[in-house]
Amino acid sequence: MAAWTHIAHSALSLPAAMVTWTGISGSYDHLLIKISGRSARTASDYDYVKCEFNNDTTSGNYSYTQLYADSATPASGRGTSLAFAGYVSTNNTTADTFGTNQIWIPHYSNTANFKQCLVGSAAENASTTDTEWIVDQTAMLWQATAAITEIDLTLGYGSDNWMAYSTFDLYGITGA
């Protein structure tokens, strides 16, 4: 039976550019990040989440493949040079609406393989208009063999902050 340990919780009382967890123990089998977040961005109805590890900002070390829908027609995409980890709602969406995001990081402390992440996200909005909402499933890869000891969560367009009341939880899972 899997045992879940709540490692860290961050709740923003003021806007912030980044949420960082350091000194993550290697004593778990897997990690899970849960985000209820909102971006200060106003140019779009959703913003993308960047999840970087061990202070590695080398864009060439990250890649992703995604399936998403922001209209009646699902789509897919692939990218390199981006630590893409799903979407959250922005300050352009319905007031007080937060996006949800879960980032599963299996075998994060293994030092023999690259690190895979499985991401599920939804940028909510009280709208049925195309591209004013999005749901996404993403596979992200960090091309490094180091054990993950630090996680940095930022927003994709760089100048946008996480809005106040965004929450972030880190869990360690053993026995799964």
Side-chain angles (χ1 to χ4, degrees):
M1 175 177 269
W4 290 58
T5 302
H6 190 246
I7 299 171
H9 173 75
S10 297
L12 301 180
S13 57
L14 296 171
M18 179 185 296
V19 171
T20 298
W21 293 304
T22 60
I24 299 169
S25 167
S27 62
Y28 307 100
D29 296 325
H30 317 290
L31 296 176
L32 177 66
I33 301 166
K34 291 188 171 211
I35 301 170
S36 175
R38 186 172 170 97
S39 166
R41 186 169 192 236
T42 57
S44 175
D45 292 314
Y46 44 86
D47 199 349
Y48 70 91
V49 176
K50 284 175 59 178
C51 181
E52 295 174 325
F53 303 118
N54 295 0
N55 203 29
D56 181 1
T57 59
T58 306
S59 60
N61 288 343
Y62 298 92
S63 62
Y64 68 93
T65 301
Q66 71 177 144
L67 298 171
Y68 66 94
D70 63 358
S71 68
T73 306
S76 64
R78 172 145 175 51
T80 58
S81 304
L82 181 62
F84 175 83
Y87 297 98
V88 292
S89 303
T90 67
N91 206 27
N92 200 43
T93 59
T94 305
D96 301 325
T97 303
F98 287 70
T100 60
N101 188 300
Q102 293 188 54
I103 305 167
W104 182 266
I105 311 167
H107 310 292
Y108 73 100
S109 62
N110 182 325
T111 57
N113 301 311
F114 292 162
K115 303 305 177 284
Q116 303 169 16
C117 302
L118 302 172
V119 181
S121 65
E124 305 289 339
N125 197 359
S127 173
T128 58
T129 303
D130 287 355
T131 72
E132 289 187 2
W133 55 272
I134 193 166
V135 292
D136 173 80
Q137 291 292 310
T138 295
M140 185 182 99
L141 181 68
W142 180 44
Q143 297 175 51
T145 58
I148 294 172
T149 59
E150 177 180 331
I151 299 173
D152 300 316
L153 300 168
T154 58
L155 292 163
Y157 294 99
S159 61
D160 298 319
N161 283 331
W162 293 100
M163 292 184 68
Y165 308 110
S166 294
T167 60
F168 308 82
D169 289 281
L170 176 63
Y171 296 88
I173 295 97
T174 54

